[in-house]
Amino acid sequence: MLRNNNVVARIFQRQIQTPPPGTSVHCARRFYENLVPSFTIYDVECPDHSFRKFTDDGQYLISFSRNHQDLIVYRPTWLSYSYKQEDCHLPSRAKRFDSFFTQLYCVPLASSNEVICKDFFLYVITNQFGLFATSTAQIHDAPAIGGAIQGVPSIERITFHLLRLEDGVILDEKVFRNDFINLAHNMGVFLYDDLLAVVSLRYQTIYILQIRESGNLVDVRAIGAFCREDDELFLNSNSQRMAVADRSKLHQSSGNHVDNGVHSNQLNSDNSFLSGIKQRLLSFIFQGIWSEETDKFQRVQCLKKKFYFHFQDYVDLIIWKVQFLDRHHLLIKFGSVDGGVRLFMLSTT
């Protein structure tokens, strides 16, 4: 059947035509047969910026200044020029950048010792919020203290900026100090609806934040050393009871109180645990191997070969990346030194 190539006629036909079964749109792809790029303009005069990307809805063009200190946002003007197929001579103004884009604002994001991460940008399409990141220089030989992973560099200050793209107002900021988050190509940060998951490679912690409609970044929880909110309280209370019991035993076995104090401090310093997320990982692997065999003897042999023999390899696994499967489940990517990858699903409820 012949179709009218007139744009107005096609819009009218799409409004009155019944959609195909199981769909909710009317021949939307056929409509765009009339609006396709058919000509390229070369040697366009562009500002000296580092262009990042368009937002998902095509409303904004994100770019940064060459010194990576300022954010510059443009809005496309679209359909600035047209021509017939036999006449493709466009005016000289068509080779100017401002003929196709209008600068909305220029906002300074980074301080004097910080730079904008040009490879990082997340867009909250529902509220038209943009999430940007600035950071100081990496320290590659930083000491691994306070539970940090050996060999992972440190960044003195990492700042996430939540900005309203409509007018360039900075709504909120979130700062991480002496940490390392992989910002390149959004590897260390994942956005799902209004939830934000940030992976600290240095401290092996997953920070979950919520982006409110008011423009606030609210801490929801942190998963790493502790998985649940009362884990720290439970472990501290038990460690205190164990310390009291150890001191009483040492006091009974020796009358030297100074010597008792030394032994007590040594016991407390040696009383270390794996992180909560690593404990859950080991428990999951153990239970999986345990369920493979029903015979007790075969079960023990299977655990020796598959779990205890590789126990240190499991302990050395490092969280590389996470993503939300839904609002209550995370998919965690663990990596090893030899390049092996393991995926695990974690419930956040």
Side-chain angles (χ1 to χ4, degrees), residues 80-259:
S80 300
Y81 302 97
S82 63
Y83 70 94
K84 294 182 180 180
Q85 188 65 33
E86 63 272 9
D87 182 17
C88 59
H89 297 288
L90 297 178
S92 59
R93 182 173 173 79
K95 291 191 175 183
R96 296 180 54 181
F97 182 83
D98 56 8
S99 296
F100 302 93
F101 298 93
T102 302
Q103 180 176 327
L104 297 181
Y105 48 81
C106 177
V107 178
L109 285 185
S111 60
S112 57
N113 61 339
E114 287 183 317
V115 293
I116 299 174
C117 180
K118 63 178 182 179
D119 294 327
F120 178 85
F121 170 67
L122 290 174
Y123 182 51
V124 186
I125 191 171
T126 54
N127 300 314
Q128 291 190 337
F129 294 159
L131 188 69
F132 303 90
T134 59
S135 67
T136 56
Q138 294 185 18
I139 304 174
H140 293 279
D141 55 349
I145 58 176
I149 301 298
Q150 184 68 36
V152 177
S154 177
I155 299 177
E156 181 181 356
R157 179 184 173 93
I158 302 172
T159 307
F160 292 98
H161 307 265
L162 185 66
L163 183 137
R164 188 168 56 215
L165 292 179
E166 182 182 4
D167 52 11
V169 175
I170 299 177
L171 303 174
D172 202 355
E173 295 180 349
K174 176 68 176 179
V175 180
F176 293 86
R177 298 185 182 277
N178 300 317
D179 206 334
F180 184 82
I181 300 169
N182 190 358
L183 300 175
H185 308 291
N186 309 337
M187 287 292 294
V189 184
F190 188 85
L191 178 65
Y192 179 86
D193 196 11
D194 61 341
L195 294 178
L196 194 69
V198 181
V199 180
S200 166
L201 292 181
R202 183 168 172 79
Y203 294 100
Q204 290 294 281
T205 303
I206 304 170
Y207 297 97
I208 300 178
L209 297 88
Q210 184 180 26
I211 302 176
R212 298 287 179 84
E213 293 184 359
S214 57
N216 296 323
L217 290 170
V218 180
D219 293 321
V220 176
R221 62 184 305 182
I223 303 174
F226 308 105
C227 291
R228 299 195 178 274
E229 297 178 354
D230 57 346
D231 284 354
E232 184 176 9
L233 178 62
F234 176 79
L235 291 176
N236 288 338
S237 60
N238 279 273
S239 62
Q240 291 176 2
R241 285 197 295 267
M242 292 174 61
V244 171
D246 291 338
R247 282 198 297 268
S248 63
K249 291 179 180 179
L250 290 173
H251 180 73
Q252 294 175 0
S253 61
S254 174
N256 190 346
H257 297 284
V258 177
D259 189 35

Side-chain angles (χ1 to χ4, degrees), residues 268-291:
N268 290 335
S269 62
D270 295 337
N271 188 19
S272 60
F273 295 91
L274 294 173
S275 65
I277 187 67
K278 194 62 67 66
Q279 291 278 5
R280 285 181 175 266
L281 172 64
L282 293 173
S283 300
F284 178 82
I285 297 174
F286 182 91
Q287 290 293 337
I289 299 174
W290 178 276
S291 303

